[in-house]
Amino acid sequence: MDTKQAVLDILNELTGEDLSDQMDENIFENGLLDSMATIQMLLELQDKCGVTAPVSEFHREDWDTPNKIIAKVESLRNE
């Protein structure tokens, strides 16, 4: 599964929303993810995408849209 689809699947599980047509929408400002769902998202990304994003290094503005999440996951994979 590619990164984009994996991220969209995780976000769909957490929000109940198909965000494939909202790739630049701010998921925090729109109330789709709260702090607990954010932790769950990071755990799911670790499990399904094999990337580790420590909560201590999590900056919401770097992860606030589906496109930014995909870019961040791809960046972490390439480290």
Side-chain angles (χ1 to χ4, degrees), residues 8-40:
L8 287 173
D9 288 349
I10 291 167
L11 290 173
N12 182 269
E13 288 174 27
L14 294 173
T15 67
E17 301 273 337
D18 176 5
L19 300 175
S20 60
D21 62 345
Q22 302 173 56
M23 298 299 289
D24 293 309
E25 292 296 317
N26 189 309
I27 56 177
F28 299 110
E29 287 180 4
N30 291 345
L32 295 173
L33 283 188
D34 60 15
S35 57
M36 291 302 291
T38 300
I39 301 298
Q40 186 62 37

